[in-house]
Amino acid sequence: FTSTREMTIPTTARVSAPEPADSARLVVLAGERDSGDTCRTFIFHQENHTLGNSLRHMLLMNPRVVFAGYTIPHPAEDQMHIRIQTVEDYPAQTALKTALQDLKSLAVLSKQKFLDDVARYKKENPDCQKMEPSM
């Protein structure tokens, strides 16, 4: 069966309604009774694979984190779920806070190294800014 009608699918289609501007960007799902504070799922609204993968990596660098994984439930939804399991007596929320702080420090350090190298390059190559674009 072949249809002659053109089907247009809007690229901005959403499965869920957009989050209200005043809503929380981070939601903590209630944990199971048996796992206590060491096993939690956190939902980040308005986030995607960029934060998910880098945050998972930072979590897994912590020896007290047993498991860290993230999912994007649906591409049209504006949220990322991250699941964290830690050793006994080390809350998953503490692991998340530490990983976020470490990720921010890494970003600041990376930016500073980049800016330092740009300045060094410009100093070593003063003619690089005098170049005119070719047509």
Side-chain angles (χ1 to χ4, degrees):
F1 171 72
T2 306
S3 173
T4 57
R5 291 186 307 167
E6 288 186 28
M7 184 175 172
T8 57
I9 300 173
T11 57
T12 58
R14 293 179 144 319
V15 171
S16 60
E19 299 295 325
D22 61 341
S23 69
R25 288 196 60 197
L26 175 63
V27 176
V28 182
L29 292 183
E32 300 173 12
R33 261 184 274 149
D34 300 337
S35 64
D37 290 336
T38 62
C39 187
R40 286 282 185 265
T41 299
F42 302 90
I43 301 174
F44 286 83
H45 295 280
Q46 301 174 1
E47 293 297 343
N48 56 29
H49 292 285
T50 304
L51 179 65
N53 196 36
S54 53
L55 188 54
R56 181 188 65 86
H57 178 75
M58 296 306 286
L59 283 161
L60 291 174
M61 291 181 68
N62 184 340
R64 294 184 282 182
V65 173
V66 177
F67 173 82
Y70 80 96
T71 60
I72 305 294
H74 192 279
E77 291 182 1
D78 223 7
Q79 56 182 272
M80 181 263 303
H81 295 196
I82 191 155
R83 178 82 170 169
I84 304 170
Q85 289 177 264
T86 59
V87 296
E88 193 173 334
D89 297 327
Y90 186 66
Q93 191 164 349
T94 301
L96 177 63
K97 184 176 180 179
T98 301
L100 287 167
Q101 290 169 339
D102 291 347
L103 187 57
K104 182 177 180 179
S105 296
L106 182 62
V108 168
L109 179 66
S110 297
K111 181 180 179 180
Q112 189 56 53
K113 283 187 174 191
F114 175 77
L115 294 174
D116 291 348
D117 282 345
V118 167
R120 181 185 53 79
Y121 180 83
K122 286 179 179 179
K123 185 177 180 182
E124 293 173 0
N125 301 286
D127 294 336
C128 72
Q129 295 178 16
K130 295 178 185 174
M131 300 173 107
E132 292 184 26
S134 59
M135 292 188 187

